[in-house]
Amino acid sequence: MSLKPISECGVVILGGTAGVGWEAAAQFAEQGARVLILGRNDERGAAACAKLLERVPAANVGFVRVDATIAAEAVRAEAECRERLGAIDVLVCTTGPSAPPRLMHNIPIDDLQQRIEEIMLPPLHMVHATLPGMRAQRAGAIVVVASDAGKIPTPGETMVGAAMGAILTYCKTAALECKREQVRINLLTPSLIAGTPGAQLIFNEPFSAKMFEKASAMAHLGVADCADQASMIVYLASPAARRMTGQAISINGGISVA
């Protein structure tokens, strides 16, 4: 097995235009990795790359547009990334819900499929598209950002929990299947992350704001931020975590310990 230092890695980050994904891109770039950010909007992608170059002027960074809810798009994006990078050594998936938590009886039945698919499909599609190349090269690290909601049933997070639970099981099972080819798959399962678009979405809605204010009060170590999550992502992708696979790590300031 060839374990590359981060400085020699080609890194692909789905959802890298903002929040945890962008911070992870910056931290990888600071260590010398070649980074491609994936997202759905060209303007946001260009802005994210420009902002990253302000922080890391020597960064080797680019953008690839993809709607990863569509399987064919994920396959196309993976091929483009692999061609541009030479190989995909690290895949990071940081996408999440577009709607704030709501009690189940307040979610119309016609919305269920869309809510599940927008959360579940992007990371599953990108992981599925990336694994053949990693297995063939007999090396690779995948880190998926899911949620504590996939571990702990939480009122208001029925749809999020269902989708995140599927992501957790998919990634853990895939980790067992791929370990023989030296491909590692780990997850982060945060709760509230300060300073992210998701946090803004939550606090703009009275019910979810009240819900997460209570959660924040339980974070006696402090509410986690993007840098906390990104540092763990970089660690999990590095040779230092070479013995770790199939793990779901919660950096949440003590809100939960599941």
Side-chain angles (χ1 to χ4, degrees), residues 216-224 228 252-255:
S216 298
M218 297 171 65
H220 295 111
L221 301 177
V223 175
D228 297 321
N252 60 21
I255 291 173

Side-chain angles (χ1 to χ4, degrees), residues 21-92:
W22 185 89
E23 177 62 28
Q27 291 193 22
F28 276 113
E30 286 172 339
Q31 294 199 29
R34 308 179 316 281
V35 179
L36 289 176
I37 292 171
L38 273 60
R40 292 181 296 178
N41 184 282
D42 289 323
E43 290 183 3
R44 286 199 297 269
C49 289
K51 182 181 174 185
L52 198 152
L53 286 168
E54 288 178 6
R55 174 163 158 180
V56 190
N60 184 339
V61 62
F63 175 74
V64 174
R65 182 181 54 79
V66 63
D67 180 353
T69 61
I70 301 170
E73 278 280 288
V75 171
R76 177 198 57 77
E78 187 278 338
E80 180 178 342
C81 290
R82 187 158 31 88
E83 181 177 359
R84 289 172 63 173
L85 293 172
I88 299 174
D89 302 298
V90 178
L91 171 68
V92 180

Side-chain angles (χ1 to χ4, degrees), residues 91 93 122-132 142 144 170-171 174 185:
L91 171 68
C93 298
L124 265 59
H125 280 159
M126 282 311 306
V127 170
H128 216 83
T130 304
L131 278 174
I142 296 173
V144 177
Y170 174 95
C171 289
I185 306 174

Side-chain angles (χ1 to χ4, degrees), residues 142-146 164 167-169 171-172 185-189 236 246-250:
I142 296 173
V143 184
V144 177
V145 179
M164 293 298 184
I167 292 169
L168 283 166
T169 300
C171 289
K172 288 186 173 188
I185 306 174
N186 291 291
L187 304 106
L188 293 188
T189 51
L236 290 171
Q247 303 305 304
I249 300 168
S250 298

Side-chain angles (χ1 to χ4, degrees), residues 150-238:
K151 295 178 175 178
I152 306 167
T154 306
E157 295 195 313
T158 312
M159 293 295 97
V160 174
M164 293 298 184
I167 292 169
L168 283 166
T169 300
Y170 174 95
C171 289
K172 288 186 173 188
T173 306
L176 290 174
E177 293 183 0
C178 298
K179 64 182 181 178
R180 290 175 178 80
E181 286 80 32
Q182 310 302 316
V183 178
R184 299 182 297 106
I185 306 174
N186 291 291
L187 304 106
L188 293 188
T189 51
S191 183
L192 180 65
I193 307 173
T196 63
Q200 184 177 1
L201 189 72
I202 286 166
F203 284 107
N204 283 342
E205 181 98 358
F207 168 76
S208 55
K210 184 176 180 180
M211 173 179 156
F212 276 90
E213 282 170 4
K214 291 180 179 178
S216 298
M218 297 171 65
H220 295 111
L221 301 177
V223 175
D225 61 20
C226 293
D228 297 321
Q229 310 296 333
S231 295
M232 180 57 72
I233 289 170
V234 174
Y235 169 76
L236 290 171
S238 77

